[in-house]
Amino acid sequence: MTEQDTLRVGIVGFGFMGRMHYRCWRDHPAAEVVAICDANPNIVAETEKAVGNIAGAADRIDFDSLRLFTDLETMLESEQLDAISLTLPTFLHPDSTIRALAAGLHVLCEKPMALSVEQCKRMMEAARRSGRILQIGHCLRFWPEYDLARRLVRQGRYGRLLAASFRRLGSPPAWGQGWFFDETRSGGMVLDLHIHDTDYVQYLLGLPQAVQSYGMRNAAGSTIHIVTHYFYPDGPLVTAEGGWAMTESFGFEMSFNLVLEKASIIYDCTRGPSLRICPADEPAPAPPAPSPDGYVRQVDHFVRRIRREDVEPVITLEQSRDSVAMIEAEKISLRTNNKVSLT
C-alpha cells in the first residue's frame, strides 16, 4: 500500500470494546473495516446484547459489508489487511499480536498490553522484528480533558503541581464473561480498570520511585477496590483510587483533582460541565469546546503513525510495559502491605 491508500482493517474480538473500535474505524475517512473475527459463531445475534459502562460503542453494525471469521489464522490468510484492532481478552493479547505482526499487519491492541512484563517484552520484540507499528490502547492519554490537563501542567502557567488524585469507580462490568472475573486471564480489576489511572500518572509525571497500595477483597479473594500512593521525590502527592465495588445504581465515575500553586483543575464525567479550571487570581476560562473522545483520537493517531504523519508516538511500547510493571508492583504492595520500589 502507499501512504495515501485506504487502510483495510480487521477487528479481532467483537464484544463491547470491539464495537467501540468498529465505530471509530467506520467513521475514519482513511480506513475501511472489511473483516471481523470472533470465536462466537453467533456474533451477529450476540452483538445486540453487548453493553458497557460508557457510551460510544456502535449500536448498528453493517454485517453485510463484512467478512466474518471465527479463527484469526484463517482471517490472516484469507484477507488482504493492513491493520487490525485487537480487542480480545487480555490473556490472548501476546500470541494474537505476535501472529498479526508476523503476518505483516499493524496492530492496535487494547490495554492492558499483557498480563505480565515478560509477556510485554515478547510483544515488543515481535514488533521490532516485524517493522510494523504496535500501539497499545491506553485511551486516557487521548481523552480531551486528560490531555488538556497534562498540557496545562507541563506549560507551568499555573505553577508547580502540588497534589493529584484520580478516581475510577463502578460496579462489576455487565459485559464481563467468565474470563473477565478470572484474574489469571484478565488480571482482575487492578490490571483492567485501575491501570487507566496508573498509566496516566506515568504519562503526567513519569515513572514513580515507588508505590504503596491498600485494597479490599471480595469473598472469592479478588481485589475489588484499591487506593495507591505514587511516590515522587520532592512531591507532588499523587494517589489513585479504583474499584468495581459500587452498586449498579451508582453508574460510573472517572474523575481527577489537580492542585497547582495558582489553580485547581477538576474533572468529573458525572457533572456538567465535566471540566473546570479554577485559577487563583484570574477569571476562570470557558470550558473547552467538545472534542472527539479518546477512542476516536487514538485510532486517528494510529492511522497517522502508519502513514508517517505523526512521528512521535503518544505512548511507547516501553511506557505500556512500564504501566504493567507499575501494576505488578501495586499487586505486590497489596499482598505484602509494603512500599514497593520501581527504580
Side-chain angles (χ1 to χ4, degrees):
M1 64 170 293
T2 69
E3 292 184 5
Q4 299 308 313
D5 286 340
T6 298
L7 294 172
R8 291 174 57 84
V9 178
I11 298 177
V12 184
F14 208 61
F16 172 65
M17 285 311 304
R19 289 169 51 225
M20 187 72 78
H21 281 233
Y22 173 86
R23 185 257 302 180
C24 301
W25 282 114
R26 178 198 61 195
D27 297 339
H28 199 289
E32 178 186 10
V33 181
V34 297
I36 288 174
C37 180
D38 194 285
N40 184 353
N42 301 313
I43 191 60
V44 175
E46 290 296 318
T47 294
E48 298 178 359
K49 304 175 184 177
V51 295
N53 59 2
I54 55 175
D59 55 1
R60 290 186 298 275
I61 314 297
D62 181 13
F63 283 107
D64 291 339
S65 68
L66 304 167
R67 290 194 66 189
L68 304 182
F69 298 88
T70 58
D71 175 72
L72 175 59
E73 202 63 47
T74 303
M75 187 182 81
L76 295 177
E77 293 173 355
S78 303
E79 285 292 322
Q80 295 295 316
L81 299 174
D82 301 303
I84 64 167
S85 269
L86 187 69
T87 55
L88 290 170
T90 306
F91 70 99
L92 298 174
H93 286 184
D95 288 346
S96 300
T97 294
I98 291 168
R99 288 163 70 188
L101 290 168
L105 306 187
H106 304 285
V107 179
L108 174 57
C109 175
E110 253 305 321
K111 48 65 45 194
M113 188 173 185
L115 292 173
S116 70
V117 168
E118 290 307 311
Q119 291 178 351
C120 293
K121 291 178 180 178
R122 288 178 53 215
M123 296 166 70
M124 294 168 67
E125 176 59 23
R128 187 196 64 78
R129 289 195 308 267
S130 72
R132 294 296 186 262
I133 291 170
L134 169 60
Q135 179 177 311
I136 308 303
H138 281 287
C139 64
L140 213 61
R141 294 185 178 220
F142 298 90
W143 218 262
E145 294 86 355
Y146 287 76
D147 177 43
L148 175 60
R150 180 178 182 269
R151 285 188 280 117
L152 290 173
V153 170
R154 291 295 181 94
Q155 289 168 3
R157 173 179 173 180
Y158 297 117
R160 188 167 57 95
L161 180 66
L162 304 176
S165 60
F166 304 89
R167 299 179 76 195
R168 189 163 302 268
L169 303 171
S171 57
W175 70 94
Q177 301 177 19
W179 71 270
F180 206 83
F181 299 103
D182 178 353
E183 291 199 16
T184 65
R185 294 193 288 172
S186 70
M189 180 277 297
V190 181
L191 186 64
D192 187 84
L193 177 79
H194 176 65
I195 195 173
H196 279 293
D197 293 312
T198 294
D199 177 73
Y200 185 75
V201 167
Q202 181 196 175
Y203 186 45
L204 182 66
L205 297 166
L207 199 66
Q209 185 181 75
V211 298
Q212 185 151 16
S213 299
Y214 308 88
M216 178 176 65
R217 299 181 185 274
N218 62 14
S222 297
T223 301
I224 57 173
H225 201 96
I226 188 171
V227 178
T228 297
H229 178 192
Y230 304 89
F231 292 88
Y232 289 91
D234 303 319
L237 173 64
V238 183
T239 60
E241 178 181 11
W244 283 344
M246 309 303 285
T247 59
E248 187 173 347
S249 61
F250 172 83
F252 176 71
E253 176 190 333
M254 63 177 184
S255 61
F256 62 71
N257 293 285
L258 303 183
V259 181
L260 295 97
E261 291 176 308
K262 300 178 183 179
S264 300
I265 305 174
I266 314 300
Y267 172 72
D268 186 334
C269 73
T270 70
R271 296 183 178 182
S274 58
L275 179 69
R276 292 185 297 138
I277 302 169
C278 309
D281 53 7
E282 60 183 80
S291 175
D293 66 39
Y295 297 113
V296 170
R297 296 175 74 186
Q298 77 172 357
V299 165
D300 185 63
H301 178 63
F302 183 55
V303 171
R304 291 174 63 84
R305 289 188 64 200
I306 293 172
R307 291 172 170 255
R308 303 187 182 187
E309 297 170 3
D310 277 357
V311 177
E312 293 297 325
V314 170
I315 181 165
T316 67
L317 295 180
E318 289 76 16
Q319 290 168 347
S320 296
R321 174 206 61 203
D322 286 348
S323 289
V324 174
M326 289 170 69
I327 292 295
E328 288 186 347
E330 291 184 56
K331 287 187 172 184
I332 292 171
S333 181
L334 283 174
R335 189 168 62 247
T336 63
N337 294 316
N338 291 323
K339 181 177 176 181
V340 177
S341 175
L342 282 159
T343 58

